Amino acid sequence: MDCRFHMLQIMNLGVQSWLRMQHYPHFLRKVLRQLGNKSQNRSSSTHRDGNPHICIVGSGPAGFYTAQQLLKGHPSLRVDIFERLPVPFGLVRYGVAPDHPEVKNVINTFTQTANNDRCSFLGNIQVGKDITVTELLKIYSAVVLAYGAAADKLLGIPGENLPNILPARTFVGWYNGLPEDKDLKVNLDTETAVIVGHGNVALDVARILLTPVHILAKTDISDYALEALRKSSLKRVVLVGRRGPLQVAFTIKELREMIKLPECRPVFHKEDFKDLEKISPDLPRPRKRLTELMHKTCFEPTAADVKLWNEANKEWELKFRLSPVEVLSSAGRVTGLRCAVNKLDGSSFENQKAVITDEHVDLPCGLIFRSIGYRSLQIDPAIPFDKKHGVIPNEKGRVIGVPGLYCSGWVGRGPVGVILSTMTDGFDVGKIILKDLAEGHIPQHCRPGLQGAMKILEERGVKTVSFSDWKKIDEHEIQMGEKFGKPREKIADIQNMIKILTHEK
């Protein structure tokens, strides 16, 4: 077909619509994509006008959902998303378990936002070091801090600093290819691991440790983690919680997965679940369904479940009303976890408090994970910060004491909830910013925006990564994954990411 005809059709229908309608030649799609990338790079690096220009620090769910609301709610507002790593998507890429690919589908929505003509992504920028929050506030109409929670809470017990006592957060980063966690020392040459915590992250860690390797090999789990798990001696994982079955923080979906885990059986103790069927009808529906599933698993398992468990060679166990008080060791190696037995105090079942007694139990193990919560960090001294709670003090997303500075997601409300709750929070903060714009609380006069930021970064020799650059990394990872029958093979080294872009150019 005549090339001029193609171009006329493209102009009439738009590039994306035409490509969906036709089996367009690969070489022409590539040319058009390159032209689009060059156009996007030109506009993002030189744009300056009188419209509001918002900077978002962090490209995880909180950052992208806030950007989505801002772009939707204002016809000419521009958003620049800054990210510490060369690649976007934060916890969706590095926090979601590799065997939960459906959760990562939200990346498609984030990609649509990043491809918006009024949105720019800049990766490989460490705000607080490469450019300060004070500088950003001078060159943008407003700044949104959405960089999540990158530290974990400590148990605060003797022996906690021994080798093979790991934060669940860094272990998740390790098997997900997070650059800063790729060199984590994990010794799986032990039969039993203890996980302190009863949340979804704790179940994620247990599931990855116990899932047959041939199943994990079909996911985007990091190659070095897969190899370590292939050599693992683990046969048993014990999950320890301070309170009882009515206070567990994991959800029914994650529990159901664990109950059905191939080659593995759950170990529930009947004394922990007796009489729960009398209480469950009065519980809120999500808690009621979760409690009923635990009770049924303990007392009325299906024939299929019993068959699966009888054939299992691994197991996981739920233990309740225990508080760690000391790590046991011998010759510098972890040998167990000593826990105090708790009693529950309070009339409201879901809000009962754990009270430590004088009774103790020892749990033999060679590996311990902390999964008791995350904390945010103060990445810049200009950011007000509540060190006790690990969050930025704010009122409905407005950072207290700093006009023009906002926060969204875990950094503002604490590390609670799932992606859906972060979406709601991001939308709410976006609406607050739009309201402040409409009421004149945010300056709308001309500010340098991305042009000013790029000038500072270039002067300091910072190598930035655009969203079109990310697409090249993405394509490379997918191609590498295809060789091993995986969705992708993540690049866990930042320098290797940059090298791919250098070779592309």
Side-chain angles (χ1 to χ4, degrees), residues 244-245 267-276 295 298-299 317-321:
V267 177
F268 287 13
H269 301 284
K270 292 185 177 181
E271 59 268 26
D272 291 325
F273 299 95
K274 64 181 181 180
D275 299 328
L276 284 188
H295 185 272
C298 186
F299 291 99
E317 180 179 5
L318 281 178
K319 282 192 172 292
F320 299 98
R321 293 179 289 275

PDB file of all heavy atoms in Angstrom, residues 244-245 267-276 295 298-299 317-321:
ATOM      1  N   GLY A 244      -4.419 -13.051  69.023  1.00  0.00           N
ATOM      2  CA  GLY A 244      -5.077 -14.290  68.664  1.00  0.00           C
ATOM      3  C   GLY A 244      -5.621 -14.316  67.252  1.00  0.00           C
ATOM      4  O   GLY A 244      -5.389 -13.392  66.454  1.00  0.00           O
ATOM      5  N   PRO A 245      -6.379 -15.356  66.902  1.00  0.00           N
ATOM      6  CA  PRO A 245      -6.920 -15.508  65.547  1.00  0.00           C
ATOM      7  C   PRO A 245      -7.836 -14.365  65.115  1.00  0.00           C
ATOM      8  O   PRO A 245      -7.931 -14.070  63.923  1.00  0.00           O
ATOM      9  CB  PRO A 245      -7.707 -16.821  65.625  1.00  0.00           C
ATOM     10  CG  PRO A 245      -7.115 -17.564  66.771  1.00  0.00           C
ATOM     11  CD  PRO A 245      -6.687 -16.529  67.751  1.00  0.00           C
ATOM     12  N   VAL A 267      -0.597 -26.182  59.785  1.00  0.00           N
ATOM     13  CA  VAL A 267      -0.695 -26.749  61.129  1.00  0.00           C
ATOM     14  C   VAL A 267      -1.421 -25.743  62.008  1.00  0.00           C
ATOM     15  O   VAL A 267      -0.869 -24.697  62.361  1.00  0.00           O
ATOM     16  CB  VAL A 267       0.705 -27.069  61.715  1.00  0.00           C
ATOM     17  CG1 VAL A 267       0.576 -27.588  63.145  1.00  0.00           C
ATOM     18  CG2 VAL A 267       1.434 -28.077  60.839  1.00  0.00           C
ATOM     19  N   PHE A 268      -2.684 -26.058  62.310  1.00  0.00           N
ATOM     20  CA  PHE A 268      -3.501 -25.215  63.175  1.00  0.00           C
ATOM     21  C   PHE A 268      -3.766 -26.002  64.461  1.00  0.00           C
ATOM     22  O   PHE A 268      -4.001 -27.215  64.417  1.00  0.00           O
ATOM     23  CB  PHE A 268      -4.843 -24.880  62.521  1.00  0.00           C
ATOM     24  CG  PHE A 268      -4.762 -23.888  61.390  1.00  0.00           C
ATOM     25  CD1 PHE A 268      -3.555 -23.533  60.817  1.00  0.00           C
ATOM     26  CD2 PHE A 268      -5.912 -23.305  60.883  1.00  0.00           C
ATOM     27  CE1 PHE A 268      -3.476 -22.633  59.774  1.00  0.00           C
ATOM     28  CE2 PHE A 268      -5.863 -22.389  59.839  1.00  0.00           C
ATOM     29  CZ  PHE A 268      -4.637 -22.057  59.290  1.00  0.00           C
ATOM     30  N   HIS A 269      -3.778 -25.323  65.591  1.00  0.00           N
ATOM     31  CA  HIS A 269      -4.007 -25.971  66.873  1.00  0.00           C
ATOM     32  C   HIS A 269      -5.441 -25.709  67.328  1.00  0.00           C
ATOM     33  O   HIS A 269      -5.881 -24.558  67.412  1.00  0.00           O
ATOM     34  CB  HIS A 269      -3.008 -25.461  67.907  1.00  0.00           C
ATOM     35  CG  HIS A 269      -1.585 -25.708  67.516  1.00  0.00           C
ATOM     36  ND1 HIS A 269      -0.994 -26.947  67.602  1.00  0.00           N
ATOM     37  CD2 HIS A 269      -0.638 -24.871  66.993  1.00  0.00           C
ATOM     38  CE1 HIS A 269       0.253 -26.877  67.175  1.00  0.00           C
ATOM     39  NE2 HIS A 269       0.490 -25.623  66.794  1.00  0.00           N
ATOM     40  N   LYS A 270      -6.162 -26.776  67.608  1.00  0.00           N
ATOM     41  CA  LYS A 270      -7.604 -26.674  67.885  1.00  0.00           C
ATOM     42  C   LYS A 270      -7.921 -25.776  69.076  1.00  0.00           C
ATOM     43  O   LYS A 270      -8.941 -25.093  69.085  1.00  0.00           O
ATOM     44  CB  LYS A 270      -8.189 -28.072  68.084  1.00  0.00           C
ATOM     45  CG  LYS A 270      -8.202 -28.900  66.817  1.00  0.00           C
ATOM     46  CD  LYS A 270      -8.892 -30.244  67.008  1.00  0.00           C
ATOM     47  CE  LYS A 270      -8.948 -30.998  65.685  1.00  0.00           C
ATOM     48  NZ  LYS A 270      -9.630 -32.318  65.799  1.00  0.00           N
ATOM     49  N   GLU A 271      -7.026 -25.749  70.070  1.00  0.00           N
ATOM     50  CA  GLU A 271      -7.298 -24.913  71.237  1.00  0.00           C
ATOM     51  C   GLU A 271      -7.319 -23.421  70.886  1.00  0.00           C
ATOM     52  O   GLU A 271      -7.912 -22.608  71.601  1.00  0.00           O
ATOM     53  CB  GLU A 271      -6.277 -25.167  72.346  1.00  0.00           C
ATOM     54  CG  GLU A 271      -4.830 -24.901  71.971  1.00  0.00           C
ATOM     55  CD  GLU A 271      -4.115 -26.131  71.441  1.00  0.00           C
ATOM     56  OE1 GLU A 271      -4.782 -27.042  70.907  1.00  0.00           O
ATOM     57  OE2 GLU A 271      -2.874 -26.177  71.559  1.00  0.00           O
ATOM     58  N   ASP A 272      -6.672 -23.056  69.767  1.00  0.00           N
ATOM     59  CA  ASP A 272      -6.669 -21.651  69.347  1.00  0.00           C
ATOM     60  C   ASP A 272      -7.981 -21.243  68.684  1.00  0.00           C
ATOM     61  O   ASP A 272      -8.303 -20.042  68.627  1.00  0.00           O
ATOM     62  CB  ASP A 272      -5.527 -21.387  68.352  1.00  0.00           C
ATOM     63  CG  ASP A 272      -4.157 -21.482  68.989  1.00  0.00           C
ATOM     64  OD1 ASP A 272      -4.025 -21.093  70.161  1.00  0.00           O
ATOM     65  OD2 ASP A 272      -3.226 -21.961  68.316  1.00  0.00           O
ATOM     66  N   PHE A 273      -8.729 -22.214  68.168  1.00  0.00           N
ATOM     67  CA  PHE A 273      -9.893 -21.886  67.341  1.00  0.00           C
ATOM     68  C   PHE A 273     -11.222 -22.375  67.917  1.00  0.00           C
ATOM     69  O   PHE A 273     -12.271 -22.117  67.330  1.00  0.00           O
ATOM     70  CB  PHE A 273      -9.702 -22.480  65.939  1.00  0.00           C
ATOM     71  CG  PHE A 273      -8.498 -21.946  65.226  1.00  0.00           C
ATOM     72  CD1 PHE A 273      -7.294 -22.635  65.271  1.00  0.00           C
ATOM     73  CD2 PHE A 273      -8.553 -20.742  64.536  1.00  0.00           C
ATOM     74  CE1 PHE A 273      -6.165 -22.133  64.630  1.00  0.00           C
ATOM     75  CE2 PHE A 273      -7.438 -20.235  63.894  1.00  0.00           C
ATOM     76  CZ  PHE A 273      -6.240 -20.935  63.936  1.00  0.00           C
ATOM     77  N   LYS A 274     -11.183 -23.049  69.039  1.00  0.00           N
ATOM     78  CA  LYS A 274     -12.432 -23.541  69.614  1.00  0.00           C
ATOM     79  C   LYS A 274     -13.330 -22.364  70.019  1.00  0.00           C
ATOM     80  O   LYS A 274     -12.843 -21.314  70.448  1.00  0.00           O
ATOM     81  CB  LYS A 274     -12.158 -24.435  70.813  1.00  0.00           C
ATOM     82  CG  LYS A 274     -11.489 -23.736  71.993  1.00  0.00           C
ATOM     83  CD  LYS A 274     -11.229 -24.716  73.114  1.00  0.00           C
ATOM     84  CE  LYS A 274     -10.575 -24.006  74.312  1.00  0.00           C
ATOM     85  NZ  LYS A 274     -10.321 -24.956  75.423  1.00  0.00           N
ATOM     86  N   ASP A 275     -14.606 -22.550  69.829  1.00  0.00           N
ATOM     87  CA  ASP A 275     -15.644 -21.577  70.172  1.00  0.00           C
ATOM     88  C   ASP A 275     -15.670 -20.355  69.257  1.00  0.00           C
ATOM     89  O   ASP A 275     -16.492 -19.454  69.456  1.00  0.00           O
ATOM     90  CB  ASP A 275     -15.508 -21.099  71.630  1.00  0.00           C
ATOM     91  CG  ASP A 275     -15.645 -22.246  72.625  1.00  0.00           C
ATOM     92  OD1 ASP A 275     -16.402 -23.183  72.323  1.00  0.00           O
ATOM     93  OD2 ASP A 275     -14.998 -22.186  73.686  1.00  0.00           O
ATOM     94  N   LEU A 276     -14.795 -20.296  68.253  1.00  0.00           N
ATOM     95  CA  LEU A 276     -14.814 -19.141  67.355  1.00  0.00           C
ATOM     96  C   LEU A 276     -16.095 -19.091  66.526  1.00  0.00           C
ATOM     97  O   LEU A 276     -16.539 -18.008  66.137  1.00  0.00           O
ATOM     98  CB  LEU A 276     -13.602 -19.159  66.424  1.00  0.00           C
ATOM     99  CG  LEU A 276     -12.249 -18.760  67.012  1.00  0.00           C
ATOM    100  CD1 LEU A 276     -11.208 -18.639  65.915  1.00  0.00           C
ATOM    101  CD2 LEU A 276     -12.336 -17.465  67.799  1.00  0.00           C
ATOM    102  N   HIS A 295     -11.383 -21.505  61.068  1.00  0.00           N
ATOM    103  CA  HIS A 295     -12.078 -22.506  61.876  1.00  0.00           C
ATOM    104  C   HIS A 295     -12.364 -23.767  61.056  1.00  0.00           C
ATOM    105  O   HIS A 295     -12.141 -24.895  61.523  1.00  0.00           O
ATOM    106  CB  HIS A 295     -13.386 -21.914  62.420  1.00  0.00           C
ATOM    107  CG  HIS A 295     -14.108 -22.815  63.362  1.00  0.00           C
ATOM    108  ND1 HIS A 295     -15.024 -23.768  62.933  1.00  0.00           N
ATOM    109  CD2 HIS A 295     -14.046 -22.941  64.717  1.00  0.00           C
ATOM    110  CE1 HIS A 295     -15.490 -24.416  63.980  1.00  0.00           C
ATOM    111  NE2 HIS A 295     -14.911 -23.940  65.079  1.00  0.00           N
ATOM    112  N   CYS A 298      -9.312 -25.851  60.442  1.00  0.00           N
ATOM    113  CA  CYS A 298      -8.884 -26.571  61.637  1.00  0.00           C
ATOM    114  C   CYS A 298      -9.789 -27.764  61.941  1.00  0.00           C
ATOM    115  O   CYS A 298      -9.292 -28.854  62.264  1.00  0.00           O
ATOM    116  CB  CYS A 298      -8.878 -25.600  62.820  1.00  0.00           C
ATOM    117  SG  CYS A 298      -8.215 -26.304  64.344  1.00  0.00           S
ATOM    118  N   PHE A 299     -11.113 -27.578  61.802  1.00  0.00           N
ATOM    119  CA  PHE A 299     -12.050 -28.605  62.265  1.00  0.00           C
ATOM    120  C   PHE A 299     -12.771 -29.360  61.146  1.00  0.00           C
ATOM    121  O   PHE A 299     -13.176 -30.509  61.346  1.00  0.00           O
ATOM    122  CB  PHE A 299     -13.108 -27.966  63.175  1.00  0.00           C
ATOM    123  CG  PHE A 299     -12.568 -27.501  64.490  1.00  0.00           C
ATOM    124  CD1 PHE A 299     -12.242 -26.168  64.698  1.00  0.00           C
ATOM    125  CD2 PHE A 299     -12.372 -28.396  65.531  1.00  0.00           C
ATOM    126  CE1 PHE A 299     -11.751 -25.729  65.914  1.00  0.00           C
ATOM    127  CE2 PHE A 299     -11.880 -27.969  66.753  1.00  0.00           C
ATOM    128  CZ  PHE A 299     -11.563 -26.634  66.947  1.00  0.00           C
ATOM    129  N   GLU A 317       2.943 -23.234  60.095  1.00  0.00           N
ATOM    130  CA  GLU A 317       2.210 -23.283  61.353  1.00  0.00           C
ATOM    131  C   GLU A 317       1.875 -21.878  61.838  1.00  0.00           C
ATOM    132  O   GLU A 317       2.704 -20.962  61.767  1.00  0.00           O
ATOM    133  CB  GLU A 317       3.056 -24.021  62.404  1.00  0.00           C
ATOM    134  CG  GLU A 317       2.417 -24.148  63.773  1.00  0.00           C
ATOM    135  CD  GLU A 317       3.305 -24.903  64.757  1.00  0.00           C
ATOM    136  OE1 GLU A 317       4.455 -25.232  64.386  1.00  0.00           O
ATOM    137  OE2 GLU A 317       2.860 -25.147  65.889  1.00  0.00           O
ATOM    138  N   LEU A 318       0.654 -21.717  62.343  1.00  0.00           N
ATOM    139  CA  LEU A 318       0.245 -20.465  62.967  1.00  0.00           C
ATOM    140  C   LEU A 318       0.358 -20.595  64.480  1.00  0.00           C
ATOM    141  O   LEU A 318      -0.201 -21.528  65.069  1.00  0.00           O
ATOM    142  CB  LEU A 318      -1.200 -20.111  62.600  1.00  0.00           C
ATOM    143  CG  LEU A 318      -1.460 -19.501  61.225  1.00  0.00           C
ATOM    144  CD1 LEU A 318      -2.960 -19.264  61.034  1.00  0.00           C
ATOM    145  CD2 LEU A 318      -0.698 -18.198  61.034  1.00  0.00           C
ATOM    146  N   LYS A 319       1.094 -19.673  65.098  1.00  0.00           N
ATOM    147  CA  LYS A 319       1.188 -19.628  66.559  1.00  0.00           C
ATOM    148  C   LYS A 319       0.717 -18.264  67.044  1.00  0.00           C
ATOM    149  O   LYS A 319       1.082 -17.230  66.462  1.00  0.00           O
ATOM    150  CB  LYS A 319       2.620 -19.903  67.022  1.00  0.00           C
ATOM    151  CG  LYS A 319       2.990 -21.380  66.984  1.00  0.00           C
ATOM    152  CD  LYS A 319       4.287 -21.648  67.706  1.00  0.00           C
ATOM    153  CE  LYS A 319       4.559 -23.144  67.835  1.00  0.00           C
ATOM    154  NZ  LYS A 319       3.604 -23.806  68.751  1.00  0.00           N
ATOM    155  N   PHE A 320      -0.063 -18.271  68.107  1.00  0.00           N
ATOM    156  CA  PHE A 320      -0.697 -17.050  68.605  1.00  0.00           C
ATOM    157  C   PHE A 320      -0.242 -16.722  70.026  1.00  0.00           C
ATOM    158  O   PHE A 320       0.333 -17.549  70.728  1.00  0.00           O
ATOM    159  CB  PHE A 320      -2.217 -17.220  68.596  1.00  0.00           C
ATOM    160  CG  PHE A 320      -2.790 -17.475  67.233  1.00  0.00           C
ATOM    161  CD1 PHE A 320      -3.083 -18.762  66.826  1.00  0.00           C
ATOM    162  CD2 PHE A 320      -3.027 -16.428  66.355  1.00  0.00           C
ATOM    163  CE1 PHE A 320      -3.615 -19.015  65.568  1.00  0.00           C
ATOM    164  CE2 PHE A 320      -3.554 -16.673  65.096  1.00  0.00           C
ATOM    165  CZ  PHE A 320      -3.852 -17.961  64.704  1.00  0.00           C
ATOM    166  N   ARG A 321      -0.501 -15.468  70.399  1.00  0.00           N
ATOM    167  CA  ARG A 321      -0.279 -14.966  71.759  1.00  0.00           C
ATOM    168  C   ARG A 321       1.170 -15.171  72.224  1.00  0.00           C
ATOM    169  O   ARG A 321       1.431 -15.612  73.343  1.00  0.00           O
ATOM    170  CB  ARG A 321      -1.263 -15.624  72.741  1.00  0.00           C
ATOM    171  CG  ARG A 321      -2.715 -15.224  72.497  1.00  0.00           C
ATOM    172  CD  ARG A 321      -3.671 -15.892  73.447  1.00  0.00           C
ATOM    173  NE  ARG A 321      -3.803 -17.312  73.147  1.00  0.00           N
ATOM    174  CZ  ARG A 321      -4.629 -17.819  72.239  1.00  0.00           C
ATOM    175  NH1 ARG A 321      -5.413 -17.003  71.557  1.00  0.00           N
ATOM    176  NH2 ARG A 321      -4.692 -19.115  72.024  1.00  0.00           N
TER     177      ARG A 321
END
